[in-house]
Amino acid sequence: MAAPAPSPQPHVMVLPFPAQGHVMPLMELSHRLVDQGLEVDFVNTDFNHDRVLKALAAETGAVPEGIHMVSFPDGMGPDGDRNDVAMLGSGLPAAMLGPLEEMIRSTKIRWVIADVSMCWALELAATAGVRVALFSTFSAAVFALRLHVPKLIKDGIIDECGKVTRNETIQLSPKMPPIEAAEIPWASLGSSPDRVSMIIRSLLKTNPAISQAAAVICNTFEEIESEALDLVPNALPVGPLEAPRGSSSSAAGQFWPEDMTCLAWLDAQARSSVIYVAFGSFTVFDAARFQELADGLELTGRPFLWAVRPNFTDGVVGEGWLDAFKRRVEGKGLVVGWAPQQRVLSHPSVACFLSHCGWNSTMEGLRNGVPILCWPYFADQFCNQSYVCNVWGTGVKLCADERGVVTKEEINGKVTQLLGDEEIRARAAMWKDKACTSIAEGGSSHQNLLKLVNLLREA
């Protein structure tokens, strides 16, 4: 008698918000799910799908087995401004809900893991009969603050359009980061009052549905956010997530090719000597801030590795100026377009991380025990800075002058302060140990990952 056919692997749809800092951690989660025997349909927008495939081709990588890359239109035209987060997000439900429902029905998918910034996907539970888990690409503290927005309005701290009407320090519990009302994520996320209002209306509309999610998967871990996680319904912390090491497919979530030549350069530097500088995928500097940063790095007299992605300066600094700077610092500093950040931060020559404090970067710095020099740009980054400086004690804050510019003297002074602080280094090492323990077999995040896999195997 013929042996019975093996049962098909459970199939999960993964749906990130179409931005680099959202696609990457969900790709990392997808790797973990495939490692546990699941199949993943990873949904990008057409625009980002093309970017990911081009970046992979430039690195001669391949999409990992078990992850199927699919894409749909995002509702914007070819010339649409996809850095306008509010506008991009507002058009996604109309553009994607119908095609997603059709795909779910045709492939008999039973589970969707949707970015919390795509929580309109919870509608698919009713229309397509799937179960939906949400994924938080920001800290549990920011998630809790999101749920707290109606009370902030009721208490008169912000109005219903998101405008700050009473600036005060907000701290939801003692071990959570204090943050000024003017720096709550949604006040600094929009490019105009209308955009902020659009974001707040969306939060107020979607917040009540969050409790319907089967789980809220968080890229964090119990030991650093226990109090915040208590405020998140059905929280399942599985972080810190990371890309698989030594795999040609580890860049499957990157929008730009990673410049691997910087790793050989790091090999030639002294231990704990290099300042690593990277500001994520959204930060844009004007000429004054960019040149002051360049001068500040040079002023430190220390080796530095600086990731300057193609649109980092919005065209205000000419290629000629940057080329001249590269020549001037040759032998001491290296400028690349996009760095393999996790591999850089784990390199023994790296001494500190000058960062915008995006949540992925913050977690990567913490997991590798690297002290952070904080320079937030927008959204949740101010809250993450507060974690680093006020709660964990693993970094220091850069302060702007009266023009809003962080001067070269400030950069030089804070680098010296940070690298001379033995207590900060000791705390960074302590949190590294806790982070690594959490994802090791038997750790809290590893156990939660197994709980998630068991949940996704349910019919």
Side-chain angles (χ1 to χ4, degrees):
M1 189 171 79
S7 57
Q9 299 290 4
H11 222 65
V12 180
M13 174 184 283
V14 173
L15 181 64
F17 184 83
Q20 176 70 91
H22 295 246
V23 169
M24 188 182 69
L26 274 161
M27 178 57 72
E28 292 165 354
L29 177 65
S30 297
H31 279 284
R32 301 288 80 77
L33 297 181
V34 169
D35 289 344
Q36 296 293 326
L38 278 65
E39 295 272 330
V40 170
D41 287 333
F42 196 92
V43 181
N44 276 311
T45 59
D46 291 342
F47 182 82
N48 286 340
H49 182 75
D50 289 344
R51 298 169 83 184
V52 167
L53 293 186
K54 285 176 182 174
L56 270 174
E59 297 183 38
T60 64
V63 178
E65 189 175 346
I67 299 178
H68 314 287
M69 306 285 276
V70 296
S71 69
F72 296 107
D74 59 14
M76 299 189 85
D79 299 325
D81 181 7
R82 289 168 174 84
N83 286 327
D84 185 337
V85 176
M87 185 59 68
L88 174 62
S90 67
L92 292 173
M96 297 185 77
L97 267 173
L100 289 171
E101 182 181 347
E102 184 178 333
M103 178 181 169
I104 288 166
R105 292 184 184 282
S106 64
T107 56
K108 297 183 170 57
I109 289 171
R110 300 298 302 148
W111 275 96
V112 173
I113 297 176
D115 193 318
V116 70
S117 299
M118 307 277 272
C119 62
W120 45 262
L122 286 162
E123 294 179 30
L124 294 167
T127 60
V130 290
R131 297 182 71 184
V132 181
L134 295 177
F135 180 88
S136 174
T137 55
F138 34 77
S139 69
V142 168
F143 199 109
L145 194 61
R146 172 197 173 116
L147 298 177
H148 202 69
V149 164
K151 190 171 189 309
L152 295 179
I153 294 172
K154 182 181 177 182
D155 292 348
I157 295 171
I158 61 174
D159 63 20
E160 292 188 351
C161 295
K163 181 182 177 182
V164 176
T165 51
R166 192 173 82 242
N167 194 18
E168 61 181 56
T169 301
I170 301 163
Q171 188 172 23
L172 300 186
S173 73
K175 292 183 181 178
M176 291 174 63
I179 184 168
E180 299 305 308
E183 293 180 342
I184 64 172
W186 308 283
S188 64
L189 185 58
S191 55
S192 68
D194 287 345
R195 293 287 191 267
V196 174
S197 178
M198 184 188 302
I199 292 165
I200 292 293
R201 288 198 306 271
S202 176
L203 292 186
L204 294 173
K205 179 182 177 182
T206 56
N207 267 356
I210 285 174
S211 60
Q212 300 169 17
V216 177
I217 308 159
C218 303
N219 184 16
T220 187
F221 58 107
E222 292 278 358
E223 290 77 5
I224 55 164
E225 288 209 279
S226 58
E227 290 191 3
L229 286 162
D230 287 342
L231 302 177
V232 177
N234 303 317
L236 205 56
V238 299
L241 291 167
E242 61 178 334
R245 298 294 173 97
S247 168
S248 63
S249 61
S250 62
Q254 299 289 348
F255 291 178
W256 296 278
E258 295 172 316
D259 188 338
M260 296 294 179
T261 62
C262 66
L263 299 176
W265 182 86
L266 287 172
D267 289 341
Q269 308 306 314
R271 187 178 184 88
S272 298
S273 66
V274 175
I275 306 165
Y276 172 55
V277 187
F279 287 86
S281 58
F282 270 109
T283 305
V284 176
F285 275 18
D286 61 19
R289 288 174 177 83
F290 184 87
Q291 293 181 14
E292 206 72 22
L293 171 55
D295 291 343
L297 292 173
E298 192 174 5
L299 185 62
T300 67
R302 300 174 184 270
F304 63 86
L305 170 62
W306 184 11
V308 181
R309 66 169 202 281
N311 56 347
F312 180 62
T313 61
D314 201 21
V316 296
V317 176
E319 284 294 321
W321 187 93
L322 186 57
D323 288 341
F325 175 76
K326 290 177 183 178
R327 288 193 297 272
R328 193 166 74 241
V329 300
E330 190 173 359
K332 179 60 82 171
L334 179 66
V335 179
V336 298
W338 193 247
Q341 180 161 293
Q342 295 183 16
R343 295 179 67 177
V344 168
L345 288 171
S346 66
H347 199 284
S349 71
V350 170
C352 68
F353 182 14
L354 202 170
S355 172
H356 67 307
C357 296
W359 186 242
N360 295 318
S361 292
T362 301
M363 289 296 284
E364 289 162 5
L366 198 74
R367 178 170 50 78
N368 288 289
V370 180
I372 298 178
L373 196 58
C374 302
W375 190 341
Y377 177 65
F378 76 160
D380 64 327
Q381 296 160 13
F382 298 96
C383 188
N384 302 338
Q385 171 184 255
S386 184
Y387 254 145
V388 170
C389 298
N390 301 319
V391 180
W392 306 330
T394 57
V396 298
K397 172 183 176 180
L398 282 165
C399 299
D401 64 10
E402 65 280 356
R403 302 168 296 155
V405 174
V406 176
T407 66
K408 58 182 178 290
E409 292 83 8
E410 169 72 1
I411 293 166
N412 182 41
K414 288 294 173 63
V415 166
T416 301
Q417 176 188 335
L418 182 63
L419 297 185
D421 195 318
E422 296 289 343
E423 292 183 359
I424 285 180
R425 288 212 296 272
R427 284 190 292 267
M430 176 196 72
W431 286 119
K432 175 184 177 179
D433 287 344
K434 290 182 181 295
C436 292
T437 298
S438 76
I439 55 178
E441 189 169 351
S444 60
S445 289
H446 183 258
Q447 296 285 12
N448 285 331
L449 176 65
L450 298 181
K451 287 180 188 176
L452 173 62
V453 170
N454 288 335
L455 184 64
L456 297 174
R457 289 186 184 278
E458 294 178 6

